Amino acid sequence: MENLFLSFWNRSVAAGWLILAVIILRLALKRAPKSTRRLLWGLVGVRLVCPFSVQSALSLIPSAETIPQAALDARSPRVDSGLPFLSAPVNDYLGDHIYEGVTRPVGYTRGIAACCAALWLIGMALLLLWALVSWLRLRRRVAEAVPEGDGVWLCGQIDSPFLLGLLRPRIYLPEGLDGESRACVLAHERAHLRRGDHWIKLLAYLLLAVYWFQPLVWIAYVLLCRDIELACDERVARDLDPAGRRRYSQTLLQCSVSRSTIAACPLAFGEVGVKERVKNVLHYKKPAFWVTAAALLACAAAAVGFLTDPPAEKADGDPAAAPLAVREDAPVYTGG
């Protein structure tokens, strides 16, 4: 289990560099279609899911294995961040304080890794349990919903429209929506359905549950949910005239809800980033061709640079890879 956890740890560190790159690209590509953001987050998902990666001289990942698997059984563990100014002080500290059989008992490093692996499994289970409980509570609230046909259900126990379900997704509407607001909501939720966003959000939450120990994955999940809604709004706004966009924005404000927790479901109409979404809808302009082309080139560059690993360096002649020798004056571990 320790080796499995270490492989996920190294994968999360490598993906962290890609997440940072995507955050920067989001800012640089403000005028690009919002769907390109979903593509960038898709690259992050591939990096987190894929258990292997090809090596390339064009890779921008400093190190594919920050903590080598061999460190679990080494008498003195070492790290390889790919950044000498970070690795050197850490390795100096480890070399001075951890040498199994001398300053620490044999199996000390693997024991620490086993504890981390146990915490990893507990955290994963808690997040999955939270998602299940949230889904069951929501299903209870819509248990008395009334079907209106074409996948639309009316429920008096909810405050905002949302899409719920995977194999047979349903659009749930609260009571009291007027005709114009209803049309805007249905256009939005059906755009989610066509784009498969209900599957994307679930898969993203599962990755969040697996990599909960990586703070950047939490940031990525929040931004992905925001970008999913922005892309969906953009798709609807593309077919609306200025008056229709104003009605759409008013419906967003009317149906906005406060969400203080991370949830795997549902895709609520006014759940996240309402202020930003209203601004984007009201000022929507079709992106120029060169902007779209530049965004796609940026996605391709990110894939080449961050979905590949740097070439493996030979350990011969590398002082960092050489085994440590026990100093004659080194204290012998006595178990105290």
Side-chain angles (χ1 to χ4, degrees):
M1 183 57 67
E2 306 93 83
N3 294 83
L4 180 63
F5 169 71
L6 192 54
S7 67
F8 276 91
W9 171 272
N10 287 324
R11 208 179 304 167
S12 74
V13 174
W17 294 105
L18 177 54
I19 293 172
L20 291 175
V22 171
I23 292 174
I24 294 173
L25 287 174
R26 286 178 79 256
L27 299 176
L29 300 174
K30 280 187 175 181
R31 298 174 60 185
K34 300 301 183 291
S35 55
T36 58
R37 297 184 179 184
R38 296 169 73 250
L39 182 58
L40 286 169
W41 292 124
L43 297 179
V44 174
V46 171
R47 183 80 217 197
L48 290 171
V49 169
C50 191
F52 59 87
S53 178
V54 298
Q55 296 182 358
S56 170
L58 299 177
S59 176
L60 298 177
I61 301 290
S63 175
E65 205 172 39
T66 305
I67 304 179
Q69 293 283 345
L72 292 176
D73 299 309
R75 299 189 70 181
S76 182
R78 304 183 73 81
V79 301
D80 178 20
S81 68
L83 304 173
F85 68 91
L86 290 179
S87 299
V90 174
N91 287 329
D92 288 343
Y93 177 86
L94 293 175
D96 291 339
H97 293 80
I98 300 179
Y99 199 95
E100 294 186 10
V102 179
T103 62
R104 293 291 189 274
V106 175
Y108 175 82
T109 304
R110 185 169 285 276
I112 294 296
C115 291
C116 292
L119 289 175
W120 170 51
L121 294 177
I122 292 172
M124 192 190 314
L126 289 176
L127 276 175
L128 294 176
L129 179 61
W130 170 252
L132 177 61
V133 171
S134 300
W135 180 79
L136 291 175
R137 291 175 60 185
L138 192 57
R139 290 292 299 175
R140 185 184 303 173
R141 290 182 62 185
V142 299
E144 298 180 1
V146 179
E148 290 201 338
D150 200 19
V152 179
W153 294 63
L154 189 65
C155 181
Q157 304 298 319
I158 59 176
D159 301 321
S160 178
F162 57 82
L163 175 68
L164 182 65
L166 292 175
L167 300 178
R168 295 181 179 179
R170 297 176 177 179
I171 300 173
Y172 291 94
L173 303 178
E175 296 178 348
L177 281 179
D178 57 43
E180 292 182 348
S181 298
R182 179 189 177 96
C184 292
V185 168
L186 290 178
H188 178 92
E189 300 300 342
R190 284 170 177 157
H192 274 314
L193 275 174
R194 289 192 298 271
R195 300 161 67 88
D197 289 338
H198 53 307
W199 281 100
I200 292 175
K201 189 172 181 181
L202 174 63
L203 293 175
Y205 186 85
L206 292 177
L207 287 176
L208 176 67
V210 173
Y211 292 96
W212 63 267
F213 53 85
Q214 166 61 285
L216 289 174
V217 173
W218 287 83
I219 295 174
Y221 181 81
V222 172
L223 293 179
L224 169 66
C225 292
R226 191 176 295 262
D227 289 342
I228 283 176
E229 296 299 335
L230 287 171
C232 192
D233 291 337
E234 185 179 71
R235 177 63 185 85
V236 176
R238 190 172 64 187
D239 298 329
L240 298 176
D241 57 18
R245 292 170 194 157
R246 287 194 295 271
R247 288 194 299 270
Y248 187 91
S249 299
Q250 292 171 355
T251 304
L252 267 176
L253 293 173
Q254 175 186 348
C255 298
S256 62
V257 293
S258 175
R259 294 282 173 144
S260 58
T261 58
I262 298 290
C265 60
L267 284 166
F269 178 69
E271 181 180 5
V272 293
V274 172
K275 183 178 179 180
E276 181 184 7
R277 292 169 61 189
V278 168
K279 182 179 178 181
N280 276 277
V281 170
L282 290 177
H283 298 90
Y284 171 78
K285 290 183 180 179
K286 184 178 179 180
F289 172 79
W290 70 269
V291 174
T292 303
L296 293 177
L297 285 176
C299 293
V304 172
F306 293 97
L307 292 185
T308 57
D309 292 338
E313 297 181 359
K314 292 184 180 179
D316 297 340
D318 182 5
L324 295 180
V326 183
R327 302 191 307 269
E328 293 183 1
D329 59 343
V332 178
Y333 180 79
T334 60

